[in-house]
Each structure stands twice: as C-alpha cells, then as structure tokens.
Amino acid sequence: MNINKNKFFTLHNMTKIAILTAISAIIMLFEFPLPFAPGFYELDLSEAVILMGGFAMGPLSAVVMELLKNILNLCINGTITAGVGELANFVMGCALVVPASIIYKYKKSLKGAIIALITGIFSLVIIGCFVNYFIMIPAYVKLAHFPMDAIISMGSEANSNVSSLETLIIFAVAPFNLVKGVACSVINLLLYKRLSKILHI
C-alpha cells in the first residue's frame, strides 16, 4: 500500500480524523438489536462515518479512526466482554472499510464506489464468520468465562435455526454483518458526495 506519510501526518489531516472519530464514537453509543441475532450482537452505524473518512483520506486513516473509535468507546462505556467485543468491532470495521477505501482510492467514480462497497460488504461477511468462529467467540468463552452452551442458548432464543456454533455463524453472524455492511454502505452512498467538499477542505 503506497502511503504518503508526510501528507497523512499533517495537522489538517489529524484534525479531520479526530472530528470523524468523535462523530463515529457518538453514533456507536446508539446500538440496537436485530430480531434474528442474540442480544450480545447489537447494530451500530458508526462505520458509515468511517467509510466516508476512508473514501476521503484513504485506508490508513480509516484504520486509525476504527482504532480510536473503539478506544474512545472503551473509555466511555468500559467493557463487559473482557475487551473481546471492542476487538471484534475493530476487526469487523476494518474488514468493511479497508478494502472499500483501497478500491475507491483508485476508482473515484460512482461505479468505483459501488464496487468498493460491495467488496467491503463481502469482506465483512466472510471475515466476520471466520473470525467469530475461530477467534472471537472462543476468546469470549475463555476470557469472560461465559459458557459456550449459554451463547448457543441465547442464539436459539432469538433464532430457532441456531443450535450450534456453526448455525450461530450461518444464521446470525453472517446476516448480521450483511445488514450492517449494506446499511453503512447505503448511508455512505447517499451522503458522501454531498459532504465530500467538506471532507476535502
């Protein structure tokens, strides 16, 4: 990834990153559940702001905003997941915004934006399934001392298709990340061009 470090580390760029991070952290406070997923999966739309920042300033800025947003949220809300939830939000956020920002960096058009966002959505869903199955949920079980059976039970209460970790991933995690990716991408498509002059000041 070709990054102009001198351009990135300017006061102007850092200021925009700080403002967008603050906005995304505020939006992250407003979470709501989806009917097909257990209550510990709550949807927030903060990635829509970071997508706009990534489109305007590039993938490195998007990663920094994702990291700072989660640190801010951790400072404000603390953690009930031994940090696993915050790490998951960072990884999932990057899975969406980084590939989308990289593609849009080289294809700055409506078609390029659509391709970038679709790629980001697929990345979010695929990486989300993989990371939740192999890393996040097992880490939560171990670090937070929350039994796997209890997680599956919460999943089956929300979604009758869930009866195991595998079905939790298929019927809850994948559609949850799909909804999140699509919602944030649509918001970005609707607002980015209208706000691009401000983002490029």
Side-chain angles (χ1 to χ4, degrees):
M1 191 186 302
N2 185 20
I3 298 169
N4 189 331
K5 292 184 179 180
N6 291 330
K7 183 178 179 181
F8 178 79
F9 289 107
T10 61
L11 178 60
H12 185 66
N13 204 57
M14 293 293 104
T15 301
K16 288 194 289 184
I17 286 174
I19 292 170
L20 290 174
T21 297
I23 294 171
S24 66
I26 292 170
I27 293 174
M28 192 180 179
L29 296 175
F30 299 94
E31 299 177 310
F32 53 92
L34 294 178
F36 55 81
F40 51 83
Y41 287 112
E42 290 192 316
L43 179 67
D44 75 83
L45 300 175
S46 59
E47 265 66 50
V49 176
I50 296 178
L51 272 171
M52 285 186 270
F55 273 26
M57 295 178 284
L60 179 58
S61 295
V63 172
V64 171
M65 285 185 282
E66 277 291 345
L67 178 62
L68 294 177
K69 177 198 74 172
N70 279 283
I71 292 173
L72 274 175
N73 184 261
L74 192 61
C75 293
I76 294 169
N77 286 331
T79 181
I80 59 173
T81 62
V84 175
E86 290 72 28
L87 178 59
N89 188 279
F90 172 72
V91 173
M92 299 302 101
C94 288
L96 172 64
V97 303
V98 170
S101 299
I102 291 172
I103 292 173
Y104 188 73
K105 181 178 180 180
Y106 298 103
K107 295 182 180 292
K108 292 184 180 293
S109 64
L110 177 59
K111 181 180 178 181
I114 292 172
I115 292 172
L117 292 169
I118 290 174
T119 303
I121 292 168
F122 274 103
S123 171
L124 171 59
V125 172
I126 293 169
I127 292 175
C129 289
F130 180 87
V131 170
N132 271 274
Y133 185 84
F134 289 104
I135 302 172
M136 295 302 178
I137 294 177
Y140 182 63
V141 169
K142 185 173 182 178
L143 296 175
H145 306 292
F146 199 84
M148 180 67 76
D149 289 344
I151 293 174
I152 302 304
S153 177
M154 291 174 68
S156 63
E157 287 178 10
N159 189 331
S160 60
N161 293 310
V162 174
S163 59
S164 63
L165 180 57
E166 290 79 6
T167 52
L168 176 68
I169 299 300
I170 294 169
F171 294 109
V173 173
F176 177 90
N177 284 326
L178 178 62
V179 170
K180 179 168 185 172
V182 170
C184 291
S185 296
V186 169
I187 293 170
N188 183 63
L189 275 178
L190 293 174
L191 297 181
Y192 178 69
K193 280 300 180 183
R194 298 179 184 183
L195 299 176
S196 60
K197 288 184 179 180
I198 298 173
L199 293 169
H200 287 94
I201 289 175

